[in-house]
Each structure stands twice: as C-alpha cells, then as structure tokens.
Amino acid sequence: MSAGSLTISTRELALFVLKIFTGVVAGPIADDVYGLLVKHEKGAFDERLSKIETARQNLVDALSAIDDMKAAAQQHQAELVAIQDSVMKVGLERDQLSADRDLLAQLTAADKDRLRAMIGAPTRLQSVLIWFGTFIFGAVMSWVLTFAYDTGIKEVLSAAWKHITG
C-alpha cells in the first residue's frame, strides 16, 4: 500500500461500522441486526457459490462433450484413412487386373492364330477374299450359263428332258 492511497470499499466500511456498533452497543437488538446482515450475506454468498458450482459442472460437462466429439472425430478420421487405403488398394488391384486382361487377350490372340495355322483354317482376310471370289465366280458363271442356255443348250436340254420323261 502506498502512502496517501488508502482504499476501502463501501461494503467493508459498512461491515466495520456494524461490528463497532454491535461491539459498543451490547444488546440483543444489535446482535440480531448484525446476525441478520451477516447471515443474509452468507446466504447470498452460498447462493453465488452454488451458481458457480453449477457453472463449473456445466463447464466440465461441456469439456467432456468436447472430448467425446474430439474422440469421435479422431475415430472418423482413422476410418477415413482406412477407407482411403482400401480405395488405393482396390485401384492398384484394378490396374493389375486390367494389365492381366490385356496380357490374356494377347495370349489368346496368339493361341488363336497358332490354332488356326495348325488346323489350316483361313484367316479373316482370307475368308473375306474367298467370299468375294465366290460371289464374283457365281455371278460370272450365272451370266455364262444364261448365255449358253439362250444360244443353243435350250434345245438340247428340252430333247433330253423329253427322252427321260418319255
């Protein structure tokens, strides 16, 4: 405390004056007044303490809820990491399966060509050329036979048919 600055609150002053008054006037009325004021103050103090205790309990409950939420968030984060790892593994497996499928397709094509060569089956190009050649041959032969029928075979065939049928 510095010199020249004495501070005292109104409440402290009132309590000090009340104690002096009850000490000087020793009567049942003075004791009752002091007792009532002090008990009233204790009641208000107890009420404030209970409110503080309630607030402290609410704060503890809130901190507990925050801790629970933090634990749940950490658990969800761990699950997310596990899911990401699973997705990564599935992606790698998919890439491996795709590579295996491509390799199998190449091997199958090679085996198909080898089998076709072993049994002497034509390739796709050879098949197309055979179909095209057959079509052209059929068209030409149809034209040749139509021309021959119209030019002289018609009478020979009619005579042969009459001879067969009788």
Side-chain angles (χ1 to χ4, degrees), residues 41-66:
E41 188 175 296
K42 282 184 182 177
F45 184 73
D46 289 341
E47 184 179 319
R48 286 186 295 190
L49 279 178
S50 70
K51 286 181 181 179
I52 290 172
E53 181 61 30
T54 304
R56 186 190 67 76
Q57 185 60 40
N58 289 340
L59 181 61
V60 167
D61 291 343
L63 289 175
S64 175
I66 289 172

Side-chain angles (χ1 to χ4, degrees), residues 135-148:
F135 175 76
I136 296 297
F137 178 75
V140 168
M141 286 310 292
S142 173
W143 180 74
V144 167
L145 289 176
T146 302
F147 180 73

Side-chain angles (χ1 to χ4, degrees), residues 30-162:
D31 288 335
D32 288 342
V33 169
Y34 180 72
L36 283 174
L37 288 176
V38 172
K39 285 181 185 175
H40 175 70
E41 188 175 296
K42 282 184 182 177
F45 184 73
D46 289 341
E47 184 179 319
R48 286 186 295 190
L49 279 178
S50 70
K51 286 181 181 179
I52 290 172
E53 181 61 30
T54 304
R56 186 190 67 76
Q57 185 60 40
N58 289 340
L59 181 61
V60 167
D61 291 343
L63 289 175
S64 175
I66 289 172
D67 289 342
D68 291 344
M69 289 171 53
K70 182 180 178 182
Q74 288 173 344
Q75 180 182 3
H76 291 314
Q77 187 176 13
E79 290 173 357
L80 180 63
V81 168
I83 289 171
Q84 287 174 338
D85 289 343
S86 296
V87 167
M88 189 69 80
K89 287 178 184 176
V90 167
L92 292 175
E93 289 177 7
R94 184 200 61 192
D95 293 343
Q96 181 64 36
L97 289 175
S98 178
D100 290 346
R101 186 194 69 213
D102 293 342
L103 180 62
L104 185 61
Q106 290 173 355
L107 291 174
T108 304
D111 285 345
K112 192 186 318 181
D113 292 340
R114 202 172 320 140
L115 180 64
R116 180 173 278 144
M118 282 176 27
I119 62 173
T123 63
R124 190 169 212 39
L125 177 63
Q126 289 171 340
S127 296
V128 170
L129 290 176
I130 290 170
W131 293 337
F132 185 70
T134 304
F135 175 76
I136 296 297
F137 178 75
V140 168
M141 286 310 292
S142 173
W143 180 74
V144 167
L145 289 176
T146 302
F147 180 73
Y149 181 76
D150 287 341
T151 58
I153 295 180
K154 184 178 186 181
E155 289 83 23
V156 173
L157 289 176
S158 288
W161 181 255
K162 284 181 188 179

